Amino acid sequence: MQTSLEKQSNSCLRMQGDYAGKVHQMQTQTTANKVLGSKFIFSGTQTRSLIFFILERAGSTMLGRVSTFLQRCSLPAFHRCWLHDSLFQVHPSVSEALAENKPVVALESTIITHGMPYPQNLSTAQEVEAIVRAHGATPATVGVLRGRVHVGLSQEQLHFLSCSRASLKVSRRDVPYAVSKGLSGGTTVSGTMIAAHRASIPVFVTGGIGGVHRDGENSMDVSADLTELGRTPVAVVSAGVKSILDIGRTLEFLETQGVCVATFGKSRDFPAFFSPQSGFTSPYNVTDAEEAAELIEAMLTLGLQSGVLLAVPIPEEHAAAGQLTQEAIRAAVAEASEKGIRGRDVTPFILQRVSELTQGQSLQATPDMALIRNNARVGSQIARALSELRRRKRSESPPPRGEKTPPPRKEKTPPTPTKAVVIGGINVDFVAKGKTEKLLFGQTNPGSVCQAYGGVGRNIADCLTRLGERPLLISAVGADSQGDIVLSHCGHMNTCGIARMREQRTATYCVVITGSGELSLGLGDMDIHQRITAQYVAQFEEQLSSASLVCVDGNIPVATIDYVCSLSRKHALPVWYEPTDTDKASKPFMSDSWKNLSYTSPNLAELCAMNRALGLSTPAVLPSDPDEVLDCAATLSRPLLEHLQCVVVTLGPLGVLVCGEHEDGMVRLAPRRNGRTGRLCAVHYPAIPLNPADIVNVSGAGDSLAGGLMAGVLRGLRTDDSVRLGLLAARRSLASRHPVAPSLSSDTVNLARVRSQAWPRPSCRWMEELGQ
C-alpha cells in the first residue's frame, strides 16, 4: 500500500534528521604512505612524500595499556560506527554491476533538487530509474549527501534529496566546498561526469546540457558542462541545448574543447531540447545504439581524455507539444534584446518570461518528461550495446592494439591445475642508496644505483615460485625494451597471464634510500597498471575459479578488484588483498566487495585507511609505544574480522600481528565453511633482529613476507610455521639487491630452518579484553 503524499512529506522531513546514520560507505581519502619497516614497498602513480622507515624507539618493554591511548585519540574499542567519513561512495548494486561488466547508466540529481517541486521531483527520479532498469541497465543516480559524493542512491537517499530545503547545485567548482562543509546537493552535468568517470561508468543520461549563454562573448557566461566534456571521458546522452542559450557558440566551444558531438538518429540536425532542429548541424551522427557504443568504445580506447556528446532529438509524437515552449523561448529572447538585457540577467529573464507566456506550462510533464523518458531509454540501450560490444571483443580476442582489454599472451597455460593466482603490478625498479645517514637535496650525494625488477604482484608471485609453488601471474607490461627485459628476468615464473601492451610504458619505480636504509624519496610511473582491467582478467576465470588462493594487489583498478570479489562470492574463493600503500588500501572498501575477502596484510597506516573507508574513527597520530601499537592494530583489525578470516598487520621492527579466530593457541588461517566458532584474538610474532647496515633493498621484503605466509596457507601449515616462513623470506630479501632474493628457495627457507631457529615467544591478546 502506498503512503499518502502528506505522510511521504513528513517522512522526508524526519529523514533529514537521521539520514547520516544510514548512508553506505565506499572510498576513503588517504594521505600517508607506507611505513617502510612495515611493508618495505612503495609504489604508485604519484610522487611519494618523505616517509619514515622504522617506528622509532621500539623499546624492549611493554608500557601501559591501550585504554589510555584510546581515550587520548577518541578511538572506540570495537563498536561499529555507521556515520561514514569517506568522500566517495558507490552503491553496492552499481559496484556489482560494474564488476560483472553489466550496463550502468549515470543520472544527475539537479532535476531532483532544483528541477521540480516535491513530490514531482521524487516520482520523476524514481520513474527514470525504473526506465533504466526496464531496459536492462543499472541506474546510478549521483548526488552529494552530507559531504559525501554518492554514485547510486537508495530510495531513502532519493527521498532525502527530494525533500531537502537547502540543497546546493553542485558543479565541479562546488564539490570541494560541499564536501568540506558536509553539505548536500544535486550534481549538475559536470559534477555527475566527474563522479561517473571516477566510478568507471562510461554512459551518463541527462535532460539537456548547459552552454554558452546569450551575450556570452561579453559576459563570459559559459557553462562548466562544456569544459567538463573537454576533459572527462564520459559519453553524455542529452536532448541537446535549450534555445535560451547560444547554440551556435556552444557548438563552436565544444569543438575548441575537442568534444566529439553526434546526433542520435539518421539526421545530423542538432536538437534544441524541445525541438528536433535548432538550425545547426552536428559534425556527425550515429544511427543506432550499436553505432553509438562503437563511438564510445573508440573514445575510451584512444585515451583522449575528452567526452562524447550524443544529442537525442525529442520524439516526433511529442515535438508538437514542445513547440509551445519553443515559440515562447523565441519571443522571450527577442523581448530581452529589445529591452537591452545583457550578461547574467539574460537567462533568468528568459526563464521567467517563458513561464509567464506558457502560463506555467513550460516545465510541465508533457514535453519535459517525454525528453527525460526518451533519453533514459536511449542511454540504457547504448549502455547495453557497449557492454555487449566489450563482451564480444573479449571473446574474439583480437590482436593487441593498445586497447584496454588485451588478449592473453601466446603461451599456453600449463595443463596442471593452478593452485594460486596473483593479479597485480610489475615494475622495473631503480634503487639508489646513499652512503650517508642524511641525503642533501639540491646536490649530488655519494652512493650506489642498481636496477631490479619488482612490483607488488610480481614480487609475491616470484616469492611463491621460489618457495615451490607455481602461481599464475596476471599483469601488464609495455611492448618496449623494459618489458622484454622484465619478462626475460621472470622466465622462471608462470607469466602466461601477462599482457604486452603497445603504446604503453612498462611501469618504472625509482626509490632513494639513505645509508641506514631509510626511505628518502620514491617516484613511480605506474599508469599501465590501470590496463589490468576486469575484462582482461575475466579471460582467466576458469583458473581463478578453481584456484586454492587468489592474491590481488592495490595497484589494479577498483573494478578489477570488485570482479575478483564477485568470483569469490560465487565460488567460495579465498582472496588475499595486499593493499600496496595507504593511497590504495581502501579500494575494496569502496563497496561491499571487502566482505568477500579472506585475508589482508596491511601495515598500521593502511589499516587506518581501511577503517576510515568503513566510517570508523581512527587515531590522528599513530602510537609509538610498542604496547599501544599492538593494541591499536588489534582494535583496528576487529571490524574487518566481521567478514575476513584473518588480518595480518605488518609492524616492521615490531614484527607481525596476526588477528583472527583462536585455535590451539594460534590464529586459524584456514577459512571455516560453517562460520566462526572460536574467540577472536591477536597473536604477536616479534621480528628477526637485523642490523640496518645489512639492509640492501627494502622494496620487496614486505612482499616476501606475504608470499611466505601464502605459501604456508597453500600447504596447510600451522600458523606459527607460516608466519615464520614469511619472516625468514623477508629477512633474506632485505639483504639482497633484488626485491625478492634469488637465493630464496624451498631449500634455503624451509620448515627445518623455521623450526630449528630460536624464535621469541609469541604473545596473545583477546579482542574483547582490549580497551577495558
Side-chain angles (χ1 to χ4, degrees), residues 159-175:
H159 275 83
F160 174 79
L161 275 185
S162 68
C163 300
S164 180
R165 296 176 177 176
S167 293
L168 291 179
K169 199 171 187 178
V170 184
S171 183
R172 173 183 278 269
R173 176 197 68 177
D174 313 294
V175 173

Side-chain angles (χ1 to χ4, degrees), residues 405-423:
T405 57
R409 296 176 65 223
K410 296 296 184 179
E411 298 92 338
K412 293 183 179 180
T413 304
T416 54
T418 302
K419 289 180 63 178
V421 178
V422 179
I423 309 170

Side-chain angles (χ1 to χ4, degrees), residues 450-461:
C450 67
Q451 179 176 332
Y453 305 96
V456 176
R458 194 218 70 87
N459 290 345
I460 291 174

Side-chain angles (χ1 to χ4, degrees), residues 572-592:
L573 178 67
V575 177
W576 186 302
Y577 179 59
E578 165 46 57
T580 307
D581 64 26
T582 51
D583 291 332
K584 302 165 186 173
S586 62
K587 283 187 174 182
F589 301 87
M590 293 173 62
S591 68
D592 284 342

Side-chain angles (χ1 to χ4, degrees), residues 344-510:
R344 66 180 61 189
D345 298 327
V346 173
T347 299
F349 173 82
I350 291 175
L351 290 174
Q352 178 63 32
R353 285 298 292 141
V354 168
S355 179
E356 293 169 356
L357 291 170
T358 61
Q359 298 180 344
Q361 297 299 309
S362 60
L363 293 179
Q364 294 303 312
T366 303
D368 232 23
M369 282 307 301
L371 285 172
I372 294 168
R373 293 189 190 100
N374 188 55
N375 290 354
R377 177 183 61 81
V378 171
S380 301
Q381 291 172 350
I382 292 172
R384 281 184 56 192
L386 180 60
S387 178
E388 292 168 2
L389 173 63
R390 290 175 165 181
R391 189 177 296 113
R392 188 166 62 250
K393 286 179 66 175
R394 288 202 315 271
S395 63
E396 293 172 355
S397 297
R401 292 179 295 179
E403 67 270 22
K404 288 192 174 183
T405 57
R409 296 176 65 223
K410 296 296 184 179
E411 298 92 338
K412 293 183 179 180
T413 304
T416 54
T418 302
K419 289 180 63 178
V421 178
V422 179
I423 309 170
I426 293 177
N427 308 332
V428 177
D429 290 341
F430 296 92
V431 182
K433 184 176 182 181
K435 292 184 178 180
T436 58
E437 181 67 24
K438 292 185 178 180
L439 299 179
L440 301 176
F441 287 87
Q443 67 183 63
T444 301
N445 293 266
S448 60
V449 179
C450 67
Q451 179 176 332
Y453 305 96
V456 176
R458 194 218 70 87
N459 290 345
I460 291 174
D462 189 3
C463 179
L464 284 168
T465 301
R466 295 184 186 280
L467 292 178
E469 307 298 329
R470 187 166 171 78
L472 170 66
L473 174 60
I474 300 176
S475 189
V477 296
D480 52 16
S481 59
Q482 295 285 16
D484 294 335
I485 295 171
V486 75
L487 286 176
S488 175
H489 185 79
C490 297
H492 61 293
M493 300 163 56
N494 180 359
T495 58
C496 297
I498 300 177
R500 297 298 304 273
M501 310 212 51
R502 297 179 184 177
E503 301 178 4
Q504 291 290 320
R505 298 184 302 274
T506 298
T508 54
Y509 175 63
C510 178

Side-chain angles (χ1 to χ4, degrees), residues 117-388:
Y118 179 83
Q120 184 183 357
N121 57 352
L122 176 60
S123 61
T124 298
Q126 291 171 331
E127 182 179 356
V128 171
E129 287 199 345
I131 291 171
V132 173
R133 292 189 184 95
H135 285 85
T138 298
T141 303
V142 177
V144 179
L145 296 103
R146 298 195 183 276
R148 291 152 186 91
V149 180
H150 289 254
V151 180
L153 301 179
S154 67
Q155 290 302 306
E156 288 180 340
Q157 292 165 340
L158 284 173
H159 275 83
F160 174 79
L161 275 185
S162 68
C163 300
S164 180
R165 296 176 177 176
S167 293
L168 291 179
K169 199 171 187 178
V170 184
S171 183
R172 173 183 278 269
R173 176 197 68 177
D174 313 294
V175 173
Y177 183 79
V179 168
S180 66
K181 295 295 185 180
L183 302 177
S184 301
T187 51
T188 64
V189 169
S190 68
T192 307
M193 287 181 71
I194 293 168
H197 175 53
R198 182 164 181 178
S200 299
I201 301 173
V203 179
F204 160 41
V205 168
T206 184
I209 65 167
V212 178
H213 288 244
R214 292 183 182 268
D215 199 37
E217 67 274 21
N218 297 315
S219 67
M220 297 301 292
D221 193 351
V222 180
S223 171
D225 299 349
L226 305 186
T227 51
E228 201 63 50
L229 273 161
R231 59 184 169 186
T232 303
V234 170
V236 178
V237 179
S238 82
V241 178
K242 286 187 177 181
S243 56
I244 62 171
L245 302 172
D246 191 325
I247 296 177
R249 284 193 170 91
T250 297
L251 290 172
E252 289 289 345
F253 194 93
L254 287 170
E255 180 182 355
T256 302
Q257 293 292 310
V259 179
C260 181
V261 178
T263 298
F264 186 86
K266 296 180 180 180
S267 170
R268 284 176 52 195
D269 289 332
F270 187 80
F273 206 69
F274 294 120
S275 173
Q277 294 93 24
S278 64
F280 298 92
T281 58
S282 295
Y284 311 103
N285 70 298
V286 289
T287 58
D288 53 30
E290 286 68 29
E291 276 194 27
E294 290 170 356
L295 175 62
I296 296 168
E297 179 68 4
M299 176 266 291
L300 296 173
T301 301
L302 288 169
L304 299 179
Q305 301 307 306
S306 55
V308 170
L309 176 62
L310 296 172
V312 183
I314 187 172
E316 288 295 334
E317 61 269 25
H318 297 290
Q323 192 62 31
L324 171 66
T325 301
Q326 192 64 34
E327 291 173 358
I329 290 173
R330 292 194 187 99
V333 169
E335 187 176 340
S337 178
E338 291 172 1
K339 293 184 175 181
I341 297 173
R342 296 286 185 270
R344 66 180 61 189
D345 298 327
V346 173
T347 299
F349 173 82
I350 291 175
L351 290 174
Q352 178 63 32
R353 285 298 292 141
V354 168
S355 179
E356 293 169 356
L357 291 170
T358 61
Q359 298 180 344
Q361 297 299 309
S362 60
L363 293 179
Q364 294 303 312
T366 303
D368 232 23
M369 282 307 301
L371 285 172
I372 294 168
R373 293 189 190 100
N374 188 55
N375 290 354
R377 177 183 61 81
V378 171
S380 301
Q381 291 172 350
I382 292 172
R384 281 184 56 192
L386 180 60
S387 178
E388 292 168 2

Side-chain angles (χ1 to χ4, degrees), residues 647-667:
V647 177
V648 179
V649 188
T650 56
L651 299 171
L654 286 182
V656 180
L657 189 71
V658 182
C659 306
E661 179 186 0
H662 180 266
E663 183 180 73
D664 298 330
M666 296 175 286
V667 171

